[in-house]
Amino acid sequence: MSKKTSFSFKRDKYKATRGGHSRLLNVCCRKCENIVAVYQKDGPGDLRRMYMDRIFAPAELTDLQDLSIKDAPMLKCKKCGEVLGTPYIYPKEKRKAFRLYQDAVIKRLRKLSE
Ligand SMILES: [Zn+2]
């Protein structure tokens, strides 16, 4: 993942219902600290799930929301192979997401462009 890449926040109904405050996170494997995904977190609270439509990188994890949920992969660390989460549909919004295992990842704040 290039450090030169810049991202701009996605703005939609999901962001609006969470109060408009978003952060860009590097989501890292807790075991080896490899960056697993660049993720837009909307609103306050812990990171318990990662919505597929909010993953900016890497390429193989973007646009997974267009897949059928049964075709979506497990969320795995590419470096050490640790399984970090499982795909599911968040019932409240019928929105595809990865349910993260407890304490599987570390989140680090990231600047919009760096
Ligand atoms: Zn790892």
Side-chain angles (χ1 to χ4, degrees):
M1 239 169 282
S2 166
K3 287 213 162 189
K4 295 269 182 268
T5 315
S6 67
F7 303 98
S8 52
F9 285 135
K10 298 185 184 193
R11 298 172 191 283
D12 54 23
K13 60 176 177 170
Y14 300 124
K15 179 169 164 54
T17 56
R18 284 168 176 75
H21 179 72
S22 295
R23 286 158 296 165
L24 204 63
L25 302 174
N26 284 336
V27 178
C28 305
C29 170
R30 183 171 296 271
K31 216 167 151 189
C32 73
E33 302 200 6
N34 177 50
I35 299 175
V36 175
V38 179
Y39 183 71
Q40 174 180 332
K41 169 90 170 72
D42 299 321
D46 284 343
L47 188 67
R48 281 187 295 257
R49 68 188 79 84
M50 287 194 337
Y51 299 106
M52 292 178 183
D53 57 72
R54 285 295 188 270
I55 300 175
F56 285 93
E60 61 266 31
L61 291 182
T62 58
D63 299 323
L64 291 179
Q65 71 271 16
D66 298 330
L67 287 179
S68 161
I69 197 70
K70 63 181 190 323
D71 294 329
M74 301 284 279
L75 185 68
K76 258 191 186 176
C77 173
K78 270 195 290 188
K79 200 170 165 194
C80 74
E82 185 80 352
V83 179
L84 307 172
T86 50
Y88 81 125
I89 296 175
Y90 178 55
K92 244 171 95 181
E93 293 175 315
K94 297 190 174 35
R95 190 175 175 197
K96 288 169 200 163
F98 288 108
R99 188 199 306 268
L100 296 173
Y101 295 143
Q102 197 175 1
D103 298 326
V105 300
I106 311 166
K107 53 186 208 284
R108 300 210 168 98
L109 206 58
R110 178 183 174 116
K111 294 198 177 81
L112 268 183
S113 60
E114 56 182 36

